[in-house]
Amino acid sequence: MYALEFEKSVKKDFITIGTGDILYIKNSLYAFCENFSPAYEQELLKIGKIKKLQGFNEDIYRLKLRSYSVIYKKENDKLIILVLSVKSRENAYKK
């Protein structure tokens, strides 16, 4: 089973998001972690819910949740999904 950790920058991202959406995002992420397996990941990749992002030295993924994109990476040795960023999909790739 995977654990969920948030980068400190995610707290700043949550400031611009409504309380209801924050609750939805957090609940969705905890469910994502509970159900996560290689087969589940492949299924989500196939339907386009998650996508491996190119141009990074490590494996970085995007998870679509309503109008938000969650940018995350997997650390297999620690079995942790580290959430790097939560932004509206129109602003997800701006730094």
Side-chain angles (χ1 to χ4, degrees), residues 66-84:
R66 287 189 187 155
S67 62
Y68 294 96
S69 287
V70 176
I71 310 300
Y72 73 94
K73 68 178 181 178
K74 295 184 301 180
E75 297 179 358
N76 285 328
D77 56 330
K78 297 179 186 173
L79 297 178
I80 293 172
I81 294 178
L82 178 64
V83 179
L84 300 176

Side-chain angles (χ1 to χ4, degrees), residues 4-27 29-30 65 68-70 83 85-88:
L4 188 62
E5 289 187 7
F6 293 89
E7 279 285 308
K8 291 178 184 176
S9 61
V10 173
K11 188 182 261 189
K12 190 171 85 174
D13 293 339
F14 279 158
I15 291 172
T16 62
I17 300 173
T19 308
D21 285 340
I22 291 171
L23 204 57
Y24 169 77
I25 290 167
K26 284 184 175 181
N27 288 339
L29 288 172
Y30 285 113
L65 295 174
Y68 294 96
S69 287
V70 176
V83 179
S85 175
V86 177
K87 298 190 180 199
S88 67

Side-chain angles (χ1 to χ4, degrees), residues 30-41:
Y30 285 113
F32 179 68
C33 282
E34 284 182 22
N35 296 320
F36 200 85
S37 69
Y40 183 62
E41 180 181 40

Side-chain angles (χ1 to χ4, degrees), residues 42-70:
Q42 288 304 312
E43 180 183 327
L44 294 178
L45 282 165
K46 190 183 292 184
I47 63 172
K49 182 106 175 170
I50 62 174
K51 178 182 178 183
K52 184 175 180 185
L53 300 179
Q54 298 180 5
F56 293 94
N57 292 335
E58 47 197 339
D59 291 341
I60 305 287
Y61 296 85
R62 178 222 56 217
L63 170 66
K64 288 196 274 186
L65 295 174
R66 287 189 187 155
S67 62
Y68 294 96
S69 287
V70 176

